[in-house]
Amino acid sequence: MDKTGEVSIGNNRWQRLFRWRQMQKLDEGGEDNNAEGNNNNNPQEVKPKANWKEWMVDPSEQFYYIWLQVMIFPIFYNWVIIICRTCFYAIEVNYLAVWLTLDYLSDLMYVTDMIIRVHTGYLEQGILVKDRAQLKQHYLRSSCFLWDLAALLPTDFLYFIFGIHTPLVRVNRFLRTPRLNEALDRMETRTSYPSTFRISKLMLYIFVLIHWNACLYFALSNYIGFGADGWVYPNITNPEFASMRRQYFYCFWFSAQIFTTVGDTPLPDREEEYLFMIADLLIAVLVFASIVGNVGHVITSLRDRDSVFFPNHELVKAYLRNHRISKELHKRVNSWYQHLYINKKITRENEILWQLPIQLQTELAVSIHLPILSKVTIFQNCETSLLEELVLKLTPQVYSPGEYVCKKGDVGHEMYIIKEGKLAVVADDGVTQFAVLGEGNFFGEISIINIKGNKSGNRRTANIRSIGHSDLFSLSKEDLMDVLSEFPSAKRLLEEKGRQILTKMGMLEETGEGEVEGATKVETTVHRLESKLNALQTKLARFMVELESSNRKMLARVQLLELELEALENQFPENEVGGGEGEERDGEMGEGVGGEVIWEREEAEGEEEVVEAKVKGQGEDNDKRSVKGNRCGVEASDEGEKKIGDDGKKKREKSNNRPDKGDGVEIENEVEKEEITGEKESEHDEKIEKAKEDSNRGDGSEG
């Protein structure tokens, strides 16, 4: 080829390939890096081989969806052809080779479908399982495998028993019907016209039903005898009714008449014919009801769709009639509605998409409205996250011809972005036009930003009127402020851009910068005061909690003191009662004994006052010590109990040392008194212990 000098493009390609192959063979024993370098220099890259051992089908991918659509044909073929070949013998005999070829081709597709099902992934806890062993185990243990296996049983061997012209032996192929339902459901979810698809699916089911009924009618006519009466199929010896097409079309027409309840069918004469007609009429009722129900559901869904997409015009018409609105205004309202319906203008986008997750709503809004929003001057070079938040706030609006969008002097609450149509900036007379705004223009952006020093004071500076039907997007001031509260840097950037625009327009006062700084200082002060107020509120809440816990402590201490005082009151009246009894017994002994009793009573009262004073002092000490801990309070109460016990012993010793006492009777009375006081002291000790436990529980809950 070098000698000739005429080398074609194809020869050069094959020559380069041959040389590369030779170099690859020479470098087989060399280093791997050299081999990789040769591969990189090769103009034709070697494609990696597909690893079929790791092949897996994702049920959400396009391949799986297409395969389901392919599986509709073999399943539908078996449902239609098997019954047709069984009842129409001429069709079976004349096209036997075709039917056998299609039969085994459908069986091959069934086997392929089982292989694909073995490699089809499934979700487990939201994660797609791709392991081949798990996929195989999951499919083999499912009920789908049993149905698929039953549908592929080799029932064709029954041909050797019943003959080759008995296609009914393949009736087990009907068990693949669930696969057909899955395919139709997937198509319904993916189609853009689900209502139309539902009607088409219903008509397909009705066609299969009428087809089966036609085949059974022809088989029943063959059983009774063709032309035996006026109800059965006419005699096939008549050339007019002998052809296969005429036989099938006649039977299909007869079956369609029954199922559509049209009537005009011959009356049956035999019992078999009556039974067949009764069954057909019952099925016809169900078919008619299903048709009416599905069509009604489709119409209702279309109305619901219109009510969601467009405002309810009938309610507005009723409102206009009841309030006797002028014809001119009535005409404008009707024109506005007519424009929405004819041009399919949607004004309720947020209500339509509210069922979607917020992430999908944002992505849809960004894909539709972000190019328009990015054209606004003050929003250029802003953060993408800010624009994504703003696109969810855009509200579509439609204006009729001659309608004012805003007027000069009005307070601006929103800005507008023109999506479609033309608007004119007109003078106060409404005739003179200063400028015309078209698609992509915007206005009112300065009025929704609080810029200090703005001479217009956030009011409209021009009259904007729609020339024809105009579609606009509005962004309210409140929505913008809500979004900017989360983006302080973007807020400062927008305010700076707004001041630049106002400066070019000559609408910004010179002292605006100082006022802006003053406003910034005021805002800083307000934020600082708010933070301090929050801190004080937190401290107040803590103080209230501490106060409540201290109140619980005080109540526990008061209960303890009340129990101690009650015990003291129970002890001293007993001594008084004992003194009275001694006075009665010793009354005969003279006044000296009575005087001694009076002296003892006064001494007991004095000691009672001393004890009460000590108890009060101990209570105050306990209240002070409760701040440090509960143990001090318990020890103080124990010391008080010891002192009270010592005082009781001193009293008993004084009473025992008292002169002029009797011998045996007084000793017995004293023993009885000591037993009674011992029992009361034990009860008193139990009450004190309960009070201690209550106080300890209160302290534990506080800790």
Side-chain angles (χ1 to χ4, degrees):
M1 284 189 286
D2 294 335
K3 294 179 180 180
T4 58
E6 297 177 356
V7 181
S8 62
I9 296 174
N11 292 334
N12 285 332
R13 184 181 62 185
W14 288 109
Q15 185 179 10
R16 287 195 300 269
L17 182 61
F18 179 73
R19 289 178 180 176
W20 171 80
R21 185 61 180 169
Q22 285 183 341
M23 292 173 64
Q24 191 177 26
K25 288 181 179 180
L26 293 174
D27 296 338
E28 281 182 357
E31 296 180 355
D32 295 334
N33 294 331
N34 294 332
E36 290 177 0
N38 293 330
N39 289 333
N40 293 329
N41 294 327
N42 181 28
Q44 292 184 352
E45 297 180 357
V46 179
K47 296 182 179 179
K49 295 182 179 180
N51 190 0
W52 295 102
K53 294 182 179 180
E54 298 180 358
W55 178 63
M56 192 274 300
V57 179
D58 189 350
S60 61
E61 290 182 351
Q62 187 70 14
F63 172 77
Y64 188 78
Y65 174 69
I66 294 174
W67 176 252
L68 287 177
Q69 291 179 323
V70 171
M71 283 301 298
I72 293 175
F73 296 100
I75 299 173
F76 191 73
Y77 162 79
N78 287 319
W79 269 100
V80 173
I81 299 301
I82 290 177
I83 186 67
C84 182
R85 291 164 55 190
T86 302
C87 297
F88 292 91
Y89 186 75
I91 296 177
E92 162 68 16
V93 174
N94 294 335
Y95 301 99
L96 179 61
V98 177
W99 302 137
L100 291 177
T101 303
L102 294 177
D103 286 347
Y104 296 117
L105 183 61
S106 65
D107 291 347
L108 180 61
M109 296 181 69
Y110 278 12
V111 174
T112 307
D113 184 59
M114 290 186 67
I115 296 173
I116 291 176
R117 277 200 166 188
V118 172
H119 295 83
T120 301
Y122 64 94
L123 293 178
E124 184 176 354
Q125 296 182 357
I127 301 174
L128 184 65
V129 178
K130 299 180 179 180
D131 185 65
R132 185 176 180 183
Q134 294 183 5
L135 296 178
K136 182 178 179 181
Q137 186 178 9
H138 178 265
Y139 175 64
L140 295 179
R141 290 184 177 182
S142 64
S143 60
C144 297
F145 171 71
L146 298 178
W147 289 104
D148 296 345
L149 185 62
L152 273 176
L153 290 177
T155 55
D156 294 34
F157 288 108
L158 296 176
Y159 283 145
F160 296 104
I161 300 175
F162 300 104
I164 194 65
H165 297 295
T166 54
L168 197 61
V169 298
R170 295 176 53 84
V171 71
N172 60 324
R173 271 56 176 180
F174 295 161
L175 298 177
R176 278 300 183 92
T177 305
R179 198 65 165 167
L180 175 65
N181 296 331
E182 181 183 359
L184 295 178
D185 292 340
R186 286 291 185 96
M187 293 177 67
E188 183 177 350
T189 56
R190 288 207 176 192
T191 183
S192 301
Y193 305 96
S195 299
T196 305
F197 183 81
R198 293 190 195 103
I199 295 295
S200 302
K201 184 171 67 174
L202 176 64
M203 299 305 297
L204 180 65
Y205 289 157
I206 293 174
F207 166 77
V208 174
L209 185 61
I210 294 175
H211 169 76
W212 270 67
N213 191 73
C215 295
L216 294 177
Y217 167 73
F218 188 81
L220 182 61
S221 299
N222 187 20
Y223 173 75
I224 296 173
F226 296 115
D229 53 36
W231 186 85
V232 298
Y233 185 79
N235 196 343
I236 60 175
T237 58
N238 187 352
E240 186 179 356
F241 300 98
S243 64
M244 291 183 296
R245 287 183 297 176
R246 184 61 179 269
Q247 292 174 7
Y248 180 77
F249 291 153
Y250 181 91
C251 295
F252 195 89
W253 168 79
F254 185 86
S255 181
Q257 276 189 325
I258 298 174
F259 282 153
T260 55
T261 64
V262 175
D264 196 20
T265 56
L267 295 177
D269 294 333
R270 302 171 183 270
E271 295 178 357
E272 296 85 353
E273 298 172 359
Y274 276 107
L275 292 175
F276 186 84
M277 287 295 296
I278 291 171
D280 278 3
L281 290 175
L282 292 176
I283 297 173
V285 172
L286 298 177
V287 171
F288 183 77
S290 63
I291 293 174
V292 173
N294 279 273
V295 172
H297 177 72
V298 170
I299 295 173
T300 304
S301 63
L302 290 175
R303 289 181 178 177
D304 294 339
R305 184 194 65 182
D306 292 340
S307 64
V308 171
F309 276 78
F310 309 106
N312 195 341
H313 193 190
E314 296 178 358
L315 293 177
V316 178
K317 285 182 177 180
Y319 178 82
L320 297 177
R321 275 195 311 271
N322 294 334
H323 291 274
R324 298 179 180 179
I325 304 300
S326 62
K327 292 183 178 180
E328 182 180 357
L329 186 57
H330 199 290
K331 184 178 179 180
R332 289 176 58 189
V333 172
N334 291 334
S335 176
W336 185 77
Y337 271 102
Q338 186 177 1
H339 172 70
L340 292 182
Y341 278 101
I342 293 175
N343 298 281
K344 305 298 180 183
K345 303 295 182 180
I346 302 173
T347 60
R348 306 168 69 177
E349 292 183 355
N350 296 332
E351 296 180 11
I352 297 171
L353 303 177
W354 72 271
Q355 293 181 348
L356 295 175
I358 187 65
Q359 185 65 26
L360 290 179
Q361 291 185 27
T362 304
E363 291 181 4
L364 287 174
V366 166
S367 63
I368 297 173
H369 306 317
L370 188 60
I372 299 174
L373 188 63
S374 60
K375 294 179 181 179
V376 182
T377 305
I378 60 174
F379 294 139
Q380 291 178 353
N381 301 325
C382 287
E383 300 179 20
T384 306
S385 56
L386 173 64
L387 298 180
E388 290 177 355
E389 290 287 339
L390 289 177
V391 293
L392 295 175
K393 308 295 184 181
L394 294 178
T395 304
Q397 295 184 5
V398 179
Y399 288 89
S400 302
E403 186 176 359
Y404 279 91
V405 179
C406 62
K407 291 186 177 181
K408 186 177 181 180
D410 294 342
V411 178
H413 296 288
E414 58 275 318
M415 66 167 293
Y416 298 93
I417 304 171
I418 303 175
K419 179 184 178 183
E420 184 180 353
K422 292 185 178 181
L423 291 89
V425 182
V426 297
D428 295 337
D429 56 4
V431 178
T432 306
Q433 293 185 2
F434 298 114
V436 177
L437 304 177
E439 180 180 354
N441 294 122
F442 54 91
F443 56 92
E445 69 278 6
I446 303 300
S447 62
I448 65 174
I449 302 176
N450 294 325
I451 300 176
K452 300 298 181 181
N454 187 0
K455 295 181 180 180
S456 61
N458 291 336
R459 293 183 177 271
R460 304 296 187 187
T461 58
N463 300 314
I464 308 295
R465 190 180 64 182
S466 177
I467 298 176
H469 290 283
S470 303
D471 297 342
L472 280 72
F473 285 112
S474 66
L475 178 63
S476 65
K477 182 178 181 179
E478 292 77 10
D479 292 338
L480 179 62
M481 292 297 107
D482 291 341
V483 175
L484 291 180
S485 62
E486 301 177 359
F487 299 91
S489 59
K491 182 179 181 180
R492 292 191 295 269
L493 179 61
L494 292 179
E495 290 177 353
E496 182 63 27
K497 288 185 177 181
R499 283 193 292 271
Q500 293 176 2
I501 295 173
L502 289 175
T503 302
K504 292 180 180 179
M505 296 172 60
M507 299 294 293
L508 185 65
E509 296 180 357
E510 296 179 356
T511 58
E513 295 181 357
E515 294 180 357
V516 169
E517 293 179 357
T520 305
K521 292 181 180 179
V522 171
E523 290 181 357
T524 305
T525 305
V526 169
H527 288 306
R528 185 171 63 255
L529 292 176
E530 288 179 351
S531 61
K532 291 183 178 180
L533 179 60
N534 292 331
L536 292 175
Q537 289 177 350
T538 305
K539 291 181 180 179
L540 178 61
R542 293 177 180 174
F543 175 74
M544 294 299 294
V545 173
E546 293 176 357
L547 179 61
E548 186 178 357
S549 63
S550 62
N551 287 336
R552 289 197 298 268
K553 282 184 181 179
M554 292 295 294
L555 289 175
R557 301 293 183 273
V558 169
Q559 291 177 359
L560 180 61
L561 293 175
E562 288 178 352
L563 291 174
E564 293 176 355
L565 291 174
E566 184 180 355
L568 293 174
E569 290 175 357
N570 291 332
Q571 288 179 359
F572 292 117
E574 291 174 358
N575 295 330
E576 293 177 1
V577 172
E581 292 177 353
E583 184 180 358
E584 291 177 357
R585 289 193 302 269
D586 300 334
E588 298 177 355
M589 296 177 65
E591 295 178 356
V593 177
E596 186 179 356
V597 170
I598 294 171
W599 172 81
E600 184 178 0
R601 186 181 298 171
E602 291 175 354
E603 184 180 0
E605 290 177 357
E607 290 177 356
E608 182 178 358
E609 292 177 357
V610 173
V611 171
E612 289 178 357
K614 290 181 179 179
V615 171
K616 290 181 180 179
Q618 292 172 0
E620 294 175 355
D621 293 336
N622 290 332
D623 293 336
K624 294 178 180 179
R625 293 169 185 171
S626 61
V627 178
K628 299 180 179 180
N630 296 323
R631 296 180 179 177
C632 297
V634 175
E635 293 175 358
S637 62
D638 293 337
E639 292 176 0
E641 292 174 7
K642 291 179 180 179
K643 290 182 180 179
I644 293 169
D646 295 336
D647 293 337
K649 290 180 180 179
K650 290 179 181 180
K651 290 177 185 179
R652 287 192 293 273
E653 290 176 358
K654 288 181 181 180
S655 62
N656 292 331
N657 296 327
R658 188 177 59 191
D660 298 332
K661 290 185 179 179
D663 297 328
V665 178
E666 292 180 356
I667 292 171
E668 292 177 356
N669 291 332
E670 289 176 0
V671 171
E672 291 176 358
K673 290 178 182 179
E674 288 177 359
E675 291 177 355
I676 293 171
T677 55
E679 293 176 357
K680 291 187 176 181
E681 285 178 359
S682 62
E683 294 176 358
H684 170 64
D685 294 336
E686 292 177 359
K687 292 182 180 179
I688 290 174
E689 290 178 358
K690 290 182 180 179
K692 290 178 182 178
E693 292 177 357
D694 294 337
S695 63
N696 290 331
R697 290 175 183 173
D699 296 337
S701 63
E702 180 185 359

